[in-house]
Amino acid sequence: GYSKPMSTLVLGLKSAMTSSVRVIGAGIYRAISVSLSASNLSEFFPNQDKEEQGKTGRPWRASELRAKSNEDLHRLWYILLKERNMLLTVKHEARRQGEVMPSPERMRKVRKSMARIKVVLGERERAVKDIRKAERQTVLSSGNEVGYSARVTSDERT
């Protein structure tokens, strides 16, 4: 968090134009990094480069995603989200003009990759829960083996 007043932060950030401020609580602010191009609506429209239009990659494999850190998955999620939003804009514009969306398979690839990120994060969350559950059981079983009791009896109080 920051202790500076909001007006000071906003003025400083407007000059940099690379960050924004989000209010977390009373008097607590968090800097959020935003690219300069994020304020431009052109991100919702495809690049008009003809060579690039026909070339699309494959969806991410779950095995590839498992090797990535949570931070990398977070970044990739937002990249895919931007791509999905751009493709939805293209789809909407094509419908408006009575045309067929170009390269509709790109949407399927983006959705599949996003679904796989959710699967990988779900696996990690379940693994953490299982580890915590095993740790609790180990602590409880080891405490019972040596006669440990969390309750204080009247004999122990005196």
Side-chain angles (χ1 to χ4, degrees), residues 105-150:
E105 70 278 358
R106 289 174 62 191
M107 181 65 83
R108 183 191 63 79
K109 292 174 185 179
V110 169
R111 284 190 178 141
K112 198 164 206 91
S113 294
M114 291 177 87
R116 288 177 179 161
I117 288 174
K118 283 184 175 182
V119 167
V120 169
L121 291 176
E123 290 171 351
R124 290 180 184 182
E125 187 176 331
R126 284 188 297 280
V128 168
K129 284 182 182 179
D130 290 345
I131 289 170
R132 287 184 181 153
K133 184 178 179 182
E135 286 175 346
R136 281 194 302 268
Q137 289 175 348
T138 304
V139 168
L140 290 176
S141 65
S142 66
N144 289 337
E145 288 174 7
V146 294
Y148 174 76
S149 174

Side-chain angles (χ1 to χ4, degrees), residues 6-130:
M6 181 67 168
S7 58
T8 306
L9 285 173
V10 171
L11 290 174
L13 294 173
K14 282 185 180 180
S15 62
M17 292 301 286
T18 58
S19 297
S20 181
V21 174
R22 185 177 86 187
V23 177
I24 296 174
I28 302 171
Y29 308 102
R30 180 175 171 206
I32 301 170
S33 178
V34 179
S35 66
L36 290 174
S37 62
S39 61
N40 193 342
L41 287 177
S42 65
E43 287 189 20
F44 288 98
F45 297 95
N47 188 354
Q48 296 300 323
D49 187 8
K50 294 293 181 190
E51 291 178 19
E52 192 177 302
Q53 279 186 345
K55 299 177 185 178
T56 59
R58 60 173 173 73
W60 284 85
R61 293 184 186 118
S63 60
E64 295 169 327
L65 296 171
R66 285 184 190 106
K68 297 202 168 291
S69 69
N70 284 342
E71 186 176 299
D72 288 343
L73 289 177
H74 186 83
R75 285 186 193 126
L76 180 58
W77 177 265
Y78 280 100
I79 290 169
L80 290 168
L81 184 63
K82 280 175 58 175
E83 180 74 9
R84 188 186 76 179
N85 286 339
M86 186 272 301
L87 291 172
L88 288 170
T89 302
V90 169
K91 182 179 179 180
H92 178 75
E93 185 62 18
R95 273 192 189 160
R96 190 181 70 78
Q97 294 178 358
E99 297 175 2
V100 178
M101 178 186 171
S103 304
E105 70 278 358
R106 289 174 62 191
M107 181 65 83
R108 183 191 63 79
K109 292 174 185 179
V110 169
R111 284 190 178 141
K112 198 164 206 91
S113 294
M114 291 177 87
R116 288 177 179 161
I117 288 174
K118 283 184 175 182
V119 167
V120 169
L121 291 176
E123 290 171 351
R124 290 180 184 182
E125 187 176 331
R126 284 188 297 280
V128 168
K129 284 182 182 179
D130 290 345

